[in-house]
Amino acid sequence: MKAVTWQGRRKVSVDEVPDPRIEEPTDAIIAVTSSGVCGSDLHLYEVLGPYMSAGDVLGHEPIGVVVDVGSEVRSLAVGDRVVVPFQIACGHCVMCDTGLPTQCETTQVREYGSGAALFGYSKLYGQVPGAQAQYLRVPHADFTHIPIPAGPDDSRFLYLSDVLPTAWQAVEYAGVPDGGSVVVLGLGPIGDMACRIAAHRGYRVIGVDRVPERLRRVADRGIEVVDLEQIGASIGDVIRDRTDGRAPTA
């Protein structure tokens, strides 16, 4: 199959690699129909190079169709359409039962003191082949998937793999009180989605960036924006002015 592989610092390429296969009875194989590129992939491109090996398959934001399942997989069948989240979790350990699958005790990469293994994300997170490929092996497949219906375009569901849950959790961690306001610093994919989620939950949202396209995209949704290139005061002063001196959650 073809896959995006890491070949060295600032060097990736599309290469032929072996097709994945069922290795454990809890595995599934999916044919990838779409796969996102995450901002954190840039860390692999350069900073985390010492933890990469030439030929590592990248990517951790896929959607696809099941083409094979292991003998112990109970909740998936060939032909099912799924989104696969970035972390690999067993679904039955203490951490998974507590709602913390990114700290799954079964897949934790203890050698590096990391959390749950991730697809396509270096030795630090298990060196599991990633999803920017034609096919993907999904360990612990009964838990490591989100079922979605057939029909709508991939773009309708792809953000369920990483962008939407990451942004949702960011808003949760902010602890915005009822009727409160929140400042989102940076309006890339996660910041944009965090603005949408916070607005959906009824908060006053102020998005901050310096890139015109990002500011326009967020403003088109009726969200207040601050263009750092257009202000002379500090961002703190601007936010205090807009919120009558009350400090918003950031």
Side-chain angles (χ1 to χ4, degrees):
M1 69 172 182
K2 292 186 182 299
V4 176
T5 67
W6 188 91
Q7 294 298 331
R9 184 173 175 267
R10 297 191 179 186
K11 183 179 180 181
V12 298
S13 59
V14 177
D15 298 301
E16 289 286 342
V17 302
D19 288 0
R21 58 182 179 81
I22 299 293
E23 298 179 13
E24 300 290 342
T26 52
D27 290 348
I29 306 295
I30 71 166
V32 177
T33 56
S34 294
S35 186
V37 178
C38 184
S40 61
D41 286 332
L42 296 177
H43 302 317
L44 306 180
Y45 192 60
E46 183 169 10
V47 178
L48 294 182
Y51 299 99
M52 301 291 290
S53 298
D56 282 352
V57 179
L58 306 178
H60 56 265
E61 299 185 2
I63 182 173
V65 177
V66 177
V67 296
D68 197 7
V69 295
S71 60
E72 295 182 12
V73 174
R74 299 289 178 259
S75 61
L76 285 174
V78 172
D80 287 349
R81 189 182 186 202
V82 295
V83 170
V84 177
F86 56 87
Q87 87 282 345
I88 302 167
C90 70
H92 53 72
C93 69
V94 171
M95 299 306 284
C96 288
D97 286 343
T98 307
L100 298 170
T102 56
Q103 299 300 317
C104 174
E105 293 185 320
T106 303
T107 72
Q108 274 184 24
V109 185
R110 291 178 171 83
E111 178 183 358
Y112 291 100
S114 304
L118 309 180
F119 290 102
Y121 213 75
S122 81
K123 296 174 184 176
L124 293 175
Y125 289 94
Q127 207 166 23
V128 181
Q132 290 169 15
Q134 290 178 289
Y135 296 94
L136 176 70
R137 180 179 75 92
V138 182
H140 302 285
D142 274 325
F143 189 73
T144 305
H145 79 275
I146 302 167
I148 58 173
D153 186 76
D154 281 2
S155 61
R156 181 70 179 83
F157 303 107
L158 186 60
Y159 293 151
L160 287 172
S161 62
D162 189 339
V163 177
L164 178 57
T166 299
W168 183 280
Q169 199 62 44
V171 176
E172 283 290 307
Y173 285 156
V176 187
D178 291 342
S181 58
V182 59
V183 174
V184 179
L185 303 177
L187 303 178
I190 303 300
D192 181 307
M193 191 68 74
C195 285
R196 299 190 204 185
I197 291 166
H200 173 74
R201 296 174 66 167
Y203 306 135
R204 180 184 178 186
V205 185
I206 302 171
V208 181
D209 208 300
R210 61 177 73 247
V211 179
E213 293 81 2
R214 292 178 173 185
L215 292 161
R216 185 165 55 249
R217 187 176 62 237
V218 171
D220 285 346
R221 295 184 173 274
I223 293 168
E224 294 180 58
V225 297
V226 173
D227 183 350
L228 286 177
E229 297 292 344
Q230 301 298 319
I231 61 174
S234 72
I235 184 61
D237 291 338
V238 172
I239 298 304
R240 278 189 290 272
D241 287 344
R242 292 202 182 191
T243 57
D244 299 323
R246 297 186 304 274
T249 302

